[in-house]
Amino acid sequence: MIDDCAKECLHGDLRQMREAMLWKVDGLREHDIRRPLTATGTNLLGLVKHLSLWESRYLGEVFDRPFPEPLPRWDDTAERGADLWTTEHETREEIIGRYRRVGEHSDATIAALALDAPGHVPWWPRPDVKLFNVLVHVLTETGRHVGHADILREQLDGSTGTNAEYATPRRDAASLAAHRARIERAAAAAAATFDPPDGKA
């Protein structure tokens, strides 16, 4: 009984995280969902692509339930990092559509298996796992990348929040500037008090 409750809670959180991720790309122009917004190239549509590929592996092939569409191999070193960005030939609809289909496939795996169902993750140091371990891992990784997406989206147009219903109301430029200035003053004051004189942490 507790396993069913735990599985439903974890699964429910994963479904919410997936929808939050898709909301982060909604309503943006092609360039904005694809362009690198950090020094390492992190971008919104690339995050969706990355999540779809890895969720399909973790909640598919790990439990001998492979996703039915062709995907790059996880151990192809020539393609390492290609899952984190999209080419000019990959469409938004293709990437988002795959993420939704992966979610449906994962949902079927979660529904069909018990939390203690065995799986095998060949790229982990301890490859023999249970559905519980993998479900927690996928939920953690999805939440981590949704957090990245939240920051990227805020940089683009100021939108924050977990979905449209709970979007944080946008503030005017003057209010935001005053808020940032207050935080910067506090950071500078703390640095003057607590940072060592030689500047090393």
Side-chain angles (χ1 to χ4, degrees):
M1 177 108 60
I2 192 160
D3 279 359
D4 290 342
C5 180
K7 183 164 83 165
E8 187 48 46
C9 287
L10 293 169
H11 193 186
D13 284 352
L14 178 58
R15 286 190 293 252
Q16 286 180 332
M17 291 287 184
R18 286 190 203 125
E19 288 307 311
M21 185 69 237
L22 291 175
W23 181 57
K24 298 302 172 186
V25 300
D26 190 42
L28 291 174
R29 296 169 53 93
E30 286 297 321
H31 185 244
D32 284 338
I33 62 171
R34 296 166 182 268
R35 66 186 171 109
L37 295 166
T38 69
T40 57
T42 308
N43 62 92
L44 287 167
L45 198 57
L47 289 173
V48 177
K49 180 180 177 181
H50 173 76
L51 285 171
S52 69
L53 293 176
W54 283 99
E55 184 175 322
S56 72
R57 290 182 177 114
Y58 278 114
L59 291 168
E61 60 189 80
V62 163
F63 296 98
D64 285 327
R65 299 171 60 91
F67 185 64
E69 298 173 28
L71 299 170
R73 289 279 310 152
W74 62 270
D75 54 358
D76 183 355
T77 55
E79 289 297 310
R80 190 157 287 148
D83 61 321
L84 288 165
W85 63 282
T86 56
T87 70
E88 64 272 26
H89 306 294
E90 295 175 290
T91 68
R92 175 194 306 238
E93 292 75 21
E94 176 186 346
I95 300 297
I96 290 174
R98 182 191 302 127
Y99 190 47
R100 290 192 184 283
R101 292 188 304 278
V102 164
E104 291 167 4
H105 186 262
S106 298
D107 290 345
T109 295
I110 294 165
L113 301 178
L115 276 181
D116 64 351
H120 186 76
V121 185
W123 53 89
W124 280 11
R126 293 182 175 170
D128 295 323
V129 296
K130 306 281 187 206
L131 176 63
F132 175 78
N133 309 109
V134 172
L135 190 50
V136 169
H137 178 77
V138 171
L139 179 59
T140 301
E141 281 298 297
T142 303
R144 177 174 171 256
H145 291 312
V146 169
H148 295 151
D150 200 34
I151 292 168
L152 298 182
R153 181 68 189 249
E154 182 181 1
Q155 287 180 359
L156 290 168
D157 70 357
S159 295
T160 61
T162 55
N163 60 41
E165 183 181 355
Y166 298 109
T168 304
R170 293 192 191 176
R171 294 162 67 176
D172 63 90
S175 170
L176 283 173
H179 180 65
R180 283 179 52 88
R182 181 178 182 197
I183 296 170
E184 179 56 40
R185 284 192 303 273
T193 303
F194 301 115
D195 277 348
D198 62 6
K200 294 180 181 175

